[in-house]
Short mmCIF file of all heavy atoms in Angstrom, two decimals:
data_model
loop_
_atom_site.label_atom_id
_atom_site.label_comp_id
_atom_site.label_asym_id
_atom_site.label_seq_id
_atom_site.Cartn_x
_atom_site.Cartn_y
_atom_site.Cartn_z
N ALA A 173 4.19 10.38 -7.11
CA ALA A 173 5.25 10.61 -8.04
C ALA A 173 4.77 10.92 -9.38
O ALA A 173 5.33 11.59 -10.22
CB ALA A 173 6.20 9.35 -8.08
N LYS A 210 -13.21 45.11 -42.09
CA LYS A 210 -13.01 43.63 -42.35
C LYS A 210 -11.75 43.09 -42.86
O LYS A 210 -11.40 42.04 -42.64
CB LYS A 210 -14.21 43.22 -43.30
CG LYS A 210 -14.10 43.68 -44.75
CD LYS A 210 -15.19 43.23 -45.62
CE LYS A 210 -15.16 43.67 -46.94
NZ LYS A 210 -13.92 43.87 -47.72
N ASN A 224 6.46 47.56 -26.41
CA ASN A 224 6.63 46.84 -25.18
C ASN A 224 6.72 45.36 -25.41
O ASN A 224 7.48 44.65 -24.64
CB ASN A 224 5.62 47.25 -24.23
CG ASN A 224 5.56 48.68 -23.94
OD1 ASN A 224 6.61 49.29 -23.69
ND2 ASN A 224 4.36 49.27 -24.09
N PRO A 228 2.25 42.58 -33.12
CA PRO A 228 1.47 43.55 -33.92
C PRO A 228 0.43 44.23 -32.99
O PRO A 228 -0.23 43.54 -32.14
CB PRO A 228 0.82 42.71 -35.00
CG PRO A 228 1.71 41.40 -35.04
CD PRO A 228 2.22 41.21 -33.78
N LYS A 254 -14.86 60.45 -26.77
CA LYS A 254 -16.28 60.32 -26.37
C LYS A 254 -16.31 60.60 -24.96
O LYS A 254 -15.26 60.39 -24.17
CB LYS A 254 -16.79 58.98 -26.74
CG LYS A 254 -16.69 58.51 -28.20
CD LYS A 254 -17.93 58.99 -28.90
CE LYS A 254 -17.91 58.41 -30.30
NZ LYS A 254 -18.04 59.34 -31.34
N ASP A 260 -8.18 61.13 -19.26
CA ASP A 260 -6.94 60.53 -18.67
C ASP A 260 -6.84 59.03 -19.02
O ASP A 260 -5.86 58.47 -19.36
CB ASP A 260 -6.72 60.75 -17.19
CG ASP A 260 -7.89 60.19 -16.26
OD1 ASP A 260 -8.93 60.12 -16.73
OD2 ASP A 260 -7.48 59.76 -15.19
N GLN A 262 -8.42 57.53 -21.61
CA GLN A 262 -8.25 57.46 -23.18
C GLN A 262 -6.71 57.71 -23.38
O GLN A 262 -6.14 56.85 -24.09
CB GLN A 262 -8.95 58.50 -23.83
CG GLN A 262 -10.58 58.24 -23.73
CD GLN A 262 -11.21 59.40 -24.56
OE1 GLN A 262 -10.82 59.81 -25.59
NE2 GLN A 262 -12.32 59.94 -23.88
N CYS A 269 2.08 52.88 -25.78
CA CYS A 269 2.89 52.78 -26.89
C CYS A 269 3.72 54.07 -27.23
O CYS A 269 4.88 54.12 -27.51
CB CYS A 269 2.25 52.31 -28.21
SG CYS A 269 1.65 50.65 -28.05
N HIS A 270 2.87 55.16 -27.35
CA HIS A 270 3.52 56.48 -27.58
C HIS A 270 4.14 57.09 -26.42
O HIS A 270 3.51 57.49 -25.42
CB HIS A 270 2.36 57.41 -28.23
CG HIS A 270 1.73 56.88 -29.39
ND1 HIS A 270 2.30 56.95 -30.64
CD2 HIS A 270 0.63 56.24 -29.57
CE1 HIS A 270 1.53 56.44 -31.53
NE2 HIS A 270 0.49 55.99 -30.89
N ALA A 300 -6.20 56.35 -43.35
CA ALA A 300 -4.99 55.95 -44.02
C ALA A 300 -3.75 56.85 -43.72
O ALA A 300 -2.65 56.36 -43.51
CB ALA A 300 -5.19 55.98 -45.52
N LYS A 309 4.78 74.14 -39.50
CA LYS A 309 4.51 75.09 -38.39
C LYS A 309 3.24 75.86 -38.55
O LYS A 309 2.41 76.18 -37.66
CB LYS A 309 5.77 76.02 -38.20
CG LYS A 309 6.97 75.30 -37.62
CD LYS A 309 6.70 74.85 -36.16
CE LYS A 309 7.98 74.17 -35.71
NZ LYS A 309 7.68 73.54 -34.47
N GLN A 323 -13.38 77.27 -28.57
CA GLN A 323 -13.35 77.23 -27.06
C GLN A 323 -13.70 78.70 -26.58
O GLN A 323 -14.53 78.78 -25.70
CB GLN A 323 -12.04 76.91 -26.48
CG GLN A 323 -11.77 75.42 -26.58
CD GLN A 323 -10.46 75.04 -25.76
OE1 GLN A 323 -9.43 75.82 -25.86
NE2 GLN A 323 -10.46 73.94 -25.13
N GLN A 324 -13.08 79.72 -27.24
CA GLN A 324 -13.42 81.08 -26.77
C GLN A 324 -14.84 81.38 -27.01
O GLN A 324 -15.50 81.96 -26.17
CB GLN A 324 -12.54 82.07 -27.51
CG GLN A 324 -12.64 83.46 -27.05
CD GLN A 324 -12.20 83.61 -25.51
OE1 GLN A 324 -11.34 82.90 -24.98
NE2 GLN A 324 -12.79 84.59 -24.90
N LYS A 325 -15.47 80.95 -28.16
CA LYS A 325 -16.85 81.21 -28.57
C LYS A 325 -17.78 80.52 -27.52
O LYS A 325 -18.66 81.13 -27.00
CB LYS A 325 -17.24 80.72 -29.96
CG LYS A 325 -16.62 81.61 -31.01
CD LYS A 325 -16.98 81.00 -32.38
CE LYS A 325 -16.11 81.63 -33.44
NZ LYS A 325 -16.32 81.03 -34.78
N HIS A 327 -16.94 79.57 -24.47
CA HIS A 327 -16.76 80.25 -23.14
C HIS A 327 -17.65 81.50 -23.08
O HIS A 327 -18.27 81.80 -22.09
CB HIS A 327 -15.29 80.38 -22.89
CG HIS A 327 -15.04 81.06 -21.56
ND1 HIS A 327 -15.13 80.42 -20.32
CD2 HIS A 327 -14.65 82.35 -21.26
CE1 HIS A 327 -14.93 81.25 -19.37
NE2 HIS A 327 -14.52 82.41 -19.89
#
Side-chain angles (χ1 to χ4, degrees):
K210 69 179 174 39
N224 303 312
K254 304 272 188 231
D260 64 326
Q262 292 179 43
C269 290
H270 298 280
K309 292 290 181 195
Q323 283 185 323
Q324 186 64 29
K325 286 178 193 173
H327 181 68

